Amino acid sequence: MTGPTNPAPPAAISTPPAPDARESAGNATADTPGTRTRRLRRIRRALAVVAVLATGVIATAVLHSGTRHGYLDPRSADPSGSRAVVELLKERGVTTRVVTTAREAADAAGPRTTLLVTDPDRLGPTQRDVIRSAIDLSGGRTVLLAASSHSLPDLSPGVHTEGDAVSARPDPGCTLPAATSAGRADTGGGHRYATALPGAVRCYPSGGHPTLLVLPTGPAGGDTVLLGSETILLNESLADEGNASLALQLLGSRPDLVWYLPSLADSDPGTGDSGEDQSLLELVPAGWSWALLQLFVAAALAALWRARRLGPLVTEKLPVAIRASEATEGRARLYRKADARDRAATVLRAATRERLAALVGVPHTQAHDPVALVPAVSARLLGEPRDVTALLFGPIPSDDAALVALADHLDALEREVRTS
């Protein structure tokens, strides 16, 4: 299949240099001082980018290291942290000290302190004995959060659980001043307690059993508060109902607050946190997850910054100049080999429509619009009527002979329009 072509001058073949000459030239170019300078400059820029990224990661880790901690951590501003209640206590003159071992907690406990044990069930037998001794001898207040039957026999004998609370926000239902002034609070959703000990104050009942229990303890005075749920201490729920009021009164009755976050060394090997394996992502601290995300974003931005930008097309001098007719024939053979009659017909018709649009005065943007092109072309034809729409926008030829006939008809149509 061939079409109208423009003749070109005979092929001019340039003789490439001998292999030895090319190799010698390449080696000479690679060893030039300018090439070495450019290579060193690229290396320095890459090292600078790496240094900036490393500095950003370290700075991010340092900045977040003091603000992102674990569950019920008084230093954490996360929704599951407890920084908000500590800040409110600080405004009221209460000093908070964070400890991670039972011995530190026992040594810090005294008549002027409130000892908060955030996870009693996590403690091992030795740690429970240490905390129990501090409860009996300190003369201060001890608050046990969500203690269950696992730790109650050692930490608060005579008290046992009665299942989970039915109501999430029960009414106070007692005469304890802290409860009556706070009103409804999120003490439900956790354990309920039952005891026959004298002097016990039962508050926030759910299904007939209290979710907040206050017990007098030890010969030195003081009391123990059993709170079935830790919800009132979380940042995300402190502002709900009377949570803030109840938390401030339970933890702020003494000028010093000892916040005991049991460490892994104080944990009971037989219980652990949940008895379930944790994934790798759950073991990675939250601060490092944000640092890795920022590192990924910085690397993507650096890649975009250093990526090679595509400029305008550059005309290169070909080593061999070929005739236009040879290029057309070669392309036609490729179409024939691929049996791409549809593609060949589309190319022929599109090129003809663009040339005809220029001849009949149709804008280039409407060259492929049959409504605009066909009437203008038909008006220039003087011979027998023919179906210009089928010729320029018709179906795909069924075989090679039909494709050749289409090319001839398109050529004749264009020739007639040119001469009209």
Side-chain angles (χ1 to χ4, degrees), residues 26-59:
N27 293 337
T29 303
D31 294 337
T32 59
T35 303
R36 289 194 296 270
T37 301
R38 287 192 296 271
R39 186 184 301 112
L40 292 175
R41 189 181 297 115
R42 286 195 296 268
I43 294 175
R44 285 196 296 268
R45 282 199 292 261
L47 292 176
V49 171
V50 172
V52 170
L53 294 177
T55 303
V57 171
I58 295 174

Side-chain angles (χ1 to χ4, degrees), residues 160-163 165-166 170 191-195 202-212:
H160 61 274
T161 59
E162 288 289 343
V166 179
H191 300 298
R192 298 182 301 169
Y193 299 107
T195 183
R202 301 165 179 83
C203 297
Y204 295 98
S206 175
H209 296 281
T211 57
L212 174 63

Side-chain angles (χ1 to χ4, degrees), residues 21 27 37 60 71 97 117 123 139-140 147 183 198 248 265 269 303 323 330-331 335:
N27 293 337
T37 301
T60 301
Y71 188 70
R97 175 185 174 186
V117 184
L123 303 179
L248 293 178
R323 295 179 182 273
R331 191 171 184 179
Y335 282 141

Side-chain angles (χ1 to χ4, degrees), residues 140-397:
R141 166 170 287 182
T142 303
V143 179
L144 304 177
L145 286 184
S148 70
S149 57
H150 177 75
S151 58
L152 283 176
D154 294 330
L155 297 178
S156 187
V159 180
H160 61 274
T161 59
E162 288 289 343
D164 295 335
V166 179
S167 175
R169 293 176 178 176
D171 293 318
C174 66
T175 58
L176 184 70
T180 56
S181 62
R184 293 165 61 92
D186 288 316
T187 60
H191 300 298
R192 298 182 301 169
Y193 299 107
T195 183
L197 295 176
V201 181
R202 301 165 179 83
C203 297
Y204 295 98
S206 175
H209 296 281
T211 57
L212 174 63
L213 192 62
V214 182
L215 301 170
T217 53
D223 56 15
T224 299
V225 178
L226 295 175
L227 189 58
S229 173
E230 67 276 15
T231 306
I232 66 171
L233 302 183
L234 300 178
N235 293 331
E236 61 183 355
S237 56
L238 185 65
D240 298 339
E241 296 289 348
N243 294 348
S245 176
L246 183 61
L248 293 178
Q249 295 182 78
L250 292 180
L251 301 183
S253 61
R254 272 79 171 171
D256 297 318
L257 172 62
V258 179
W259 198 292
Y260 177 27
L261 294 171
S263 63
L264 186 62
D266 277 8
S267 300
D268 186 350
T271 59
D273 286 338
S274 61
E276 299 179 357
D277 293 335
Q278 291 181 301
S279 65
L280 179 61
L281 294 179
E282 292 174 341
L283 296 175
V284 176
W288 284 105
S289 300
W290 284 104
L292 291 176
L293 177 60
Q294 294 181 5
L295 176 61
F296 175 77
V297 173
L301 293 177
L304 292 175
W305 170 53
R306 295 301 302 164
R308 185 180 298 277
R309 294 175 174 84
L310 297 178
L313 295 177
V314 178
T315 303
E316 297 184 2
K317 196 171 183 179
L318 298 177
V320 178
I322 60 175
R323 295 179 182 273
S325 59
E326 295 178 4
T328 302
E329 291 176 0
R331 191 171 184 179
R333 292 191 189 98
L334 291 176
Y335 282 141
R336 183 176 182 181
K337 184 177 180 180
D339 198 21
R341 284 187 296 273
D342 54 345
R343 176 62 179 164
T346 300
V347 171
L348 288 173
R349 282 171 168 155
T352 302
R353 289 196 297 265
E354 292 176 357
R355 291 192 295 269
L356 288 175
L359 292 175
V360 300
V362 175
H364 179 73
T365 56
Q366 299 179 357
H368 305 289
D369 184 6
V371 177
L373 182 63
V374 171
V377 173
S378 300
R380 300 286 292 272
L381 300 179
L382 302 177
E384 297 179 358
R386 68 191 73 181
D387 191 355
V388 178
T389 303
L391 186 59
L392 295 177
F393 300 94
I396 299 171

